[in-house]
Amino acid sequence: MKKIFLLSFVSFCSVFCFAQSAQKPIFYSVSFPNVVHHEAEITMTIPQAPYKEFRVIMSRSSAGRYATHEFGKNVYNVIATDVSGVPVPLKQIEGDVYLVGNDHPETVVIHYTLFGNWTDGTYASIDPSHAHLNMPAAFMWVPGEESRPVKFEFNDLDKYGWKVATQLKHEGDNIYSAPNLQYMMDSPTELSAFKETSWNVVNTDGKTEKINLTVHSDDAQPVIDNFGKMVQKMVLEEKAVFGELPSYDFGEYTFLDDVYPTTSGDGMEHRNSTCIVQPIAKVEGNEVRLLGTFAHEYFHSWNVKRIRPKSLEPFNFQHANMSGELWFAEGFTQYYGELLLVRSGFHTPEEYTRTLGGLVNSVLNTPGAAKYTPVRSSDYSVFADAGVSIDPTNENNIFTSYYVYGGATALALDLRLRSEFNLTLDDYMRTVWLDRGKIMKPYTIPDLQADLAKVTKNPKFAADFFNRYIYGVEKNNYADLLAKAGLILRKAQPGKAWAGSLTGGGRRGRSGQARTEGEGIPILTSTIIGSPVYKAGLDAGDVILKADGKPVKDEQEFDAIVAVKNIGDKITVNYKNRTGEHETTITLEENPYLEIVTYEKAGKELTKDQQDFRGKWLGTRVQ
Ligand SMILES: [Zn+2]
């Protein structure tokens, strides 16, 4: 038996090893002859191309951005050749799909031009200062060949004085690699004259993890060094939550920060890196403000990149994966990103009350959270997360972001674990980390419930919490929970008359909405269900001409009229729309919006228990 086993092992190995070495990498050579006009030239060499006809495509989706995008629109001059440049027939069969016919050589070379002029975590940007590449927005690929290794050659670096920042494996000189397509797509690459600072963290297992901060900005090196020390402090606070850092591939994690006023603010998590883009002049003077995105994205290196929802596995680059778990993957990350800045001393508890107020209002005062569960809110991400459309949606009334909804749920669970079980949300996150993330076993919502049952040793509590607050729309008692930490939840404007928002607070309306020539107040987005203006029958398309008999031309004038009224007063409103001029009556109500204040600020005395509770919750966990 032993001998046979040995023989079969040898034959298995020979097949396996042959298959490995036979898989020649798909090779991308990237050049920048026309950066002034935002173009890159990309040559993709596919050795051992699929035997018959095959497709070469651009992605329509990017990991961490939950809506679809048409990356194919920025790719043109697409041609196919053999290795000596002789044309091979290629046909574009869809916007982002090109077909190489049956009769092609063994090695097919695809050439194309990439245009990119949008700096964020999702798209590509090419200009004389940098090439900022989110991989799905930049690189074509071959469906069916996802498991093949990939190599990159970045040219023209000396010409522009650029260096390379990426989680791709550095093979030497300007050559980088990824073991497969999924890893490659997850590895944003910044080519620029960035500044850099690095440090080592000795992990709990004794191994060293190297953390790099690269910043493409107009800051001097000492500013980056100092900012690196702040990021370092935040990293250790996050490590304390989980008890260890993840074991990063190739032993490194890199923050790719890009700071410039005309960029588009964003943070995009990846397995061993994060792309953070901040639309301000410089890091200097804005350090604490910038740290929030760092804290959030870094938390993702555990929660979502390793503690991975099954619904995102494998990531589908041709269509957005819908994930009902984003209240956990994003919402719990949102909660921790903000909390950890308090624990690491960058925000005071007083400042944190404003963040908490935002979370609690989002769950207690939005129609989205009143009607839909956190799971439903998560599903809607395929439309909400920078999804591009021309016509408006009814987002104001049907969607409460899973970031804040999930964040508020995390807050309630943390306070309940602390007050009912003498546990913390950190204990729960550590359990999920050990049971799922560390061993890379993707989870479902029932798995999260099972882990809550495990950590509390109370399956009944876990089932109740999930049924009421995750699968249901019930709300926790935030006032009672916050009081344990000496915080008061109260009306932000008690006794003040309120008509509701005319702008809905959501995305601005686009085509098909009211436009006026400087007359009245056009309502541009859906008014919010339950608000006095909604009840009065006003909505997008209406233009308010007069309130309480006085002509109004902007929302400030309208608000000034409301401000001197009392709750219960009625205001006559004259408005027009496509069916002519109309009159309605708004009955003013008390503003439902809540605020959170410390006992100290409210002039109440903090008890010893409250002080201890708050200290354990908001104090540093770094030993
Ligand atoms: Zn996130």
Side-chain angles (χ1 to χ4, degrees), residues 23 65 124 128 204 242 355 384 399 415 473 490 497 539 549 556 593:
Q23 286 259 298
R65 181 107 279 157
T204 312
F242 290 98
T355 304
F399 176 62
L415 299 179
V473 295
R490 65 184 189 191
D539 212 307
Q556 282 96 305
Y593 289 96

Side-chain angles (χ1 to χ4, degrees), residues 339-352:
L339 172 65
L340 289 165
L341 291 187
V342 188
R343 285 195 185 162
S344 46
F346 294 114
H347 286 166
T348 63
E350 197 67 55
E351 289 165 328
Y352 188 47

Side-chain angles (χ1 to χ4, degrees), residues 269 296-297 300 330 403:
E269 68 280 2
H296 178 104
E297 302 308 331
H300 274 316
E330 287 296 353
Y403 285 88

Side-chain angles (χ1 to χ4, degrees), residues 326-380:
L326 295 183
W327 57 270
F328 182 79
E330 287 296 353
F332 277 47
T333 300
Q334 180 75 13
Y335 172 67
Y336 269 105
E338 289 163 342
L339 172 65
L340 289 165
L341 291 187
V342 188
R343 285 195 185 162
S344 46
F346 294 114
H347 286 166
T348 63
E350 197 67 55
E351 289 165 328
Y352 188 47
T353 57
R354 283 195 288 278
T355 304
L356 292 173
L359 289 180
V360 173
N361 271 312
S362 77
V363 73
L364 297 184
N365 265 323
T366 59
K371 275 191 292 187
Y372 303 103
T373 68
V375 178
R376 231 4 245 151
S377 147
S378 303
D379 288 341
Y380 195 77

Side-chain angles (χ1 to χ4, degrees), residues 139-202:
F139 296 104
M140 300 184 88
W141 55 284
V142 182
E145 304 290 296
E146 292 89 337
S147 62
R148 287 177 67 166
V150 175
K151 267 194 185 156
F152 287 93
E153 173 188 62
F154 297 112
N155 303 303
D156 302 324
L157 299 179
D158 292 344
K159 186 168 156 188
Y160 302 110
W162 291 348
K163 299 177 286 179
V164 182
T166 181
Q167 69 169 35
L168 292 168
K169 186 176 183 217
H170 191 195
E171 300 282 356
D173 295 330
N174 58 339
I175 306 293
Y176 291 77
S177 73
N180 52 48
L181 182 92
Q182 285 282 340
Y183 192 95
M184 161 209 159
M185 289 298 195
D186 192 46
S187 306
T189 300
E190 164 84 11
L191 313 177
S192 68
F194 53 79
K195 298 197 174 61
E196 189 171 13
T197 179
S198 301
W199 61 94
N200 290 328
V201 178
V202 178

